[in-house]
Amino acid sequence: MLRFRIEPVTQLEEVRHLLADFGLPFTDIIPDVLLHFFGHRADSELVGIIGLELCGSAALLRSLAVMPQQRNNFLGKSLVDFA
């Protein structure tokens, strides 16, 4: 399995744009929520993202998206494992 560099995503518009591309909800994402989004980049482009929504001592998987050209290489699994 490939290893991916997963890091915090800090650009609000970048997160909203990627989620919108996949028809996922994004209008409620504000800078405080952004603290719980992580992603992987290929050539500086965000190609995979996962977001968590904290609920007390638990977390809800809020969003998971992987660009089509990055699918079938375990990026989605790596993001879930990271979360």
Side-chain angles (χ1 to χ4, degrees):
M1 181 169 31
L2 297 172
R3 292 206 181 260
F4 298 96
R5 182 175 175 206
I6 298 171
E7 57 192 33
V9 179
T10 59
Q11 299 299 317
L12 183 61
E13 289 307 313
E14 190 175 39
V15 170
R16 287 180 171 180
H17 178 75
L18 185 61
L19 295 178
D21 283 351
F22 292 99
L24 296 171
F26 65 90
T27 57
D28 61 333
I29 298 174
I30 57 174
D32 289 346
V33 174
L34 194 61
L35 295 173
H36 309 290
F37 275 82
F38 303 90
H40 171 71
R41 296 179 183 284
D43 299 324
S44 76
E45 178 188 7
L46 187 62
V47 296
I49 192 167
I50 192 163
L52 300 173
E53 186 173 322
L54 301 184
C55 304
S57 63
L60 172 70
L61 175 63
R62 191 209 182 284
S63 304
L64 173 64
V66 176
M67 296 295 285
Q69 68 271 23
Q70 295 294 325
R71 293 182 184 163
N72 298 320
N73 64 8
F74 299 102
L75 176 55
K77 180 182 180 342
S78 294
L79 287 165
V80 170
D81 289 347
F82 178 86

